[in-house]
Amino acid sequence: MNAKMLSLFSYPFPTLKNPFADALQEITDNQWIDGEYLWLYKDDPQTRQKYKKTKTAHIASQWFPTSSQERLKPVCRFMLWTLFNDDKYEEGTPEQIRFIHQQSIAVLQGEVSSAQSGIPLGGLLASLREELLQFISEESLRRFITGLSRYFRGLELELEYKQKRTFPSIEECIAIRENSLCLYPFLELTDLETGIPLPPGVNEHPVLQRLRALAVRMMVYFNEVQSVVKDEATGSIYYNVVKAIQYNKNLSLEEACLEDLRIHNEELKEFVRLQQSLPDFGEWQDVVVNRVHYISMTLSGWKSVSSRLERYNSLQGFPSAQAIKKTVLPD
């Protein structure tokens, strides 16, 4: 049912891939997973292999298809961070997430060093900050950090519902997942690719904000169908939109997936309509059109790459909770 259902999600957007994907994947596997961050799973080669098979650099390459190798590198480092962080705290507590949130933002803002932060992934974030500031402004970094804060707030709410073992309403679940999917920070990194940051008045225009929200929400709907079997196996059903639909509307799993698809398709129509009838941004018109083009490719790109990854298509593709809990701070 899962593969058949996923085939019903389709996008009228181009699918491009960065030619430096293999080179960055080699860096990810050898210099990061088996090098700089080896201490995370030093005695667990099986878990390291699962992270390699997730091919985070290939995911990044679908979302940033025209970046230079140097500019793609921090995106790939951040993509690896999202998996490490998601897996490490999926079994955490809201209180723990609040601390990780606070310290992660402090590192990215340059307020504390990785050693002072007291969090396992502080060093990765410190390296990310240095790399990003080679290519983007402090203002662009601030927008990225704001997007990351949304992710942590969503993650905290997920864990609250998981602890209570209750379902949110459908709309609340969509709102939680819109934040916790961690796509907003990547959308703010588009400045890396285009090299042309949008001025605040343009970047925060309601139409652009709505287009970003629609893109994130559509990826949520696709991801929930994709992840529902994994979430049932790991007890994460309380913040899966498909499961929330099934519970709140008393539907079968297949009916809930179809309702998820219906909502997705309605929002896809809205995205296309807005993309085709953008307001007049004056001298920034061409830049905005290009920005929306890049936003659209996150959807077609994600479907293209994720359909071939074990992490999203089998129960053996993601690390066990026991393996994740063994990680400690580096010496």
Side-chain angles (χ1 to χ4, degrees), residues 109-121:
Q109 289 176 332
E111 296 171 352
V112 301
S113 68
S114 59
Q116 293 169 328
S117 70
I119 58 174
L121 299 176

Side-chain angles (χ1 to χ4, degrees), residues 89 93-101 152 155-156 159:
Y89 300 111
T93 65
E95 295 76 21
Q96 186 180 28
I97 288 301
R98 281 194 286 273
F99 174 76
I100 300 299
H101 180 182
F152 276 114
L155 187 55
E156 183 181 333
L159 293 175

Side-chain angles (χ1 to χ4, degrees), residues 43-311:
D43 300 318
D44 191 353
Q46 183 178 12
T47 292
R48 297 202 308 275
Q49 187 62 25
K50 286 181 178 180
Y51 279 118
K52 293 175 185 178
K53 286 185 176 181
T54 304
K55 295 190 176 297
T56 48
H58 285 261
I59 300 173
S61 295
Q62 298 275 181
W63 289 356
F64 292 75
T66 62
S67 289
S68 66
Q69 183 169 343
E70 294 76 18
R71 287 171 176 260
L72 183 60
K73 186 178 178 182
V75 182
C76 294
R77 192 187 293 271
F78 180 56
M79 186 70 74
L80 182 61
W81 177 88
T82 63
L83 261 67
F84 279 160
N85 199 76
D86 261 356
D87 289 342
K88 183 163 182 56
Y89 300 111
E90 188 172 20
E91 300 295 326
T93 65
E95 295 76 21
Q96 186 180 28
I97 288 301
R98 281 194 286 273
F99 174 76
I100 300 299
H101 180 182
Q102 174 188 341
Q103 296 305 96
S104 296
I105 298 307
V107 172
L108 284 169
Q109 289 176 332
E111 296 171 352
V112 301
S113 68
S114 59
Q116 293 169 328
S117 70
I119 58 174
L121 299 176
L124 192 159
L125 292 174
S127 297
L128 178 64
R129 171 183 164 82
E130 290 179 7
E131 288 178 338
L132 288 176
L133 286 176
Q134 295 178 41
F135 305 111
I136 63 174
S137 67
E138 290 277 0
E139 171 63 20
S140 292
L141 180 64
R142 184 193 63 77
R143 292 173 183 170
F144 167 75
I145 292 171
T146 298
L148 193 62
S149 278
R150 293 186 67 157
Y151 156 73
F152 276 114
R153 290 196 298 272
L155 187 55
E156 183 181 333
L157 284 172
E158 285 185 351
L159 293 175
E160 287 180 7
Y161 277 102
K162 190 171 183 178
Q163 276 190 341
K164 294 185 294 186
R165 302 179 70 83
T166 58
F167 286 96
S169 69
I170 296 170
E171 275 306 314
E172 186 178 4
C173 190
I174 292 170
I176 291 170
R177 292 294 286 142
E178 182 183 336
N179 287 338
S180 68
L181 198 62
C182 203
L183 184 57
Y184 277 111
F186 285 100
L187 294 181
E188 293 298 347
L189 287 180
T190 307
D191 290 354
L192 272 172
E193 186 146 36
T194 64
I196 308 175
L198 297 174
V202 174
N203 191 68
E204 295 156 15
H205 190 282
V207 171
L208 276 182
Q209 288 183 333
R210 180 59 178 168
L211 283 163
R212 291 188 191 99
L214 288 168
V216 176
R217 288 163 65 104
M218 281 188 280
M219 197 172 295
V220 166
Y221 304 135
F222 180 85
N223 183 79
E224 305 305 73
V225 173
Q226 190 176 42
S227 302
V228 68
V229 174
K230 169 183 176 288
D231 289 346
E232 287 179 330
T234 58
S236 302
I237 58 173
Y238 301 104
Y239 49 84
N240 181 299
V241 171
V242 167
K243 297 300 290 187
I245 291 172
Q246 184 181 13
Y247 173 81
N248 283 286
K249 294 198 169 190
N250 194 26
L251 302 175
S252 69
L253 181 60
E254 183 173 4
E255 288 171 333
C257 287
L258 288 170
E259 174 61 10
D260 175 275
L261 175 65
R262 184 194 68 77
I263 300 170
H264 168 278
N265 288 344
E266 286 300 311
E267 297 197 356
L268 177 59
K269 290 178 185 176
E270 182 182 353
F271 185 98
V272 172
R273 177 178 60 78
L274 289 175
Q275 183 182 30
Q276 293 175 345
S277 58
L278 290 170
D280 184 3
F281 287 97
E283 62 180 317
W284 291 95
Q285 191 70 22
D286 290 345
V287 178
V288 171
V289 169
N290 192 47
R291 181 65 59 109
V292 175
H293 173 64
Y294 276 108
I295 292 172
S296 74
M297 288 193 293
T298 60
L299 294 160
S300 52
W302 175 247
K303 180 180 179 182
S304 173
V305 69
S306 66
S307 61
R308 300 188 294 274
L309 299 178
E310 283 187 24
R311 179 181 176 92

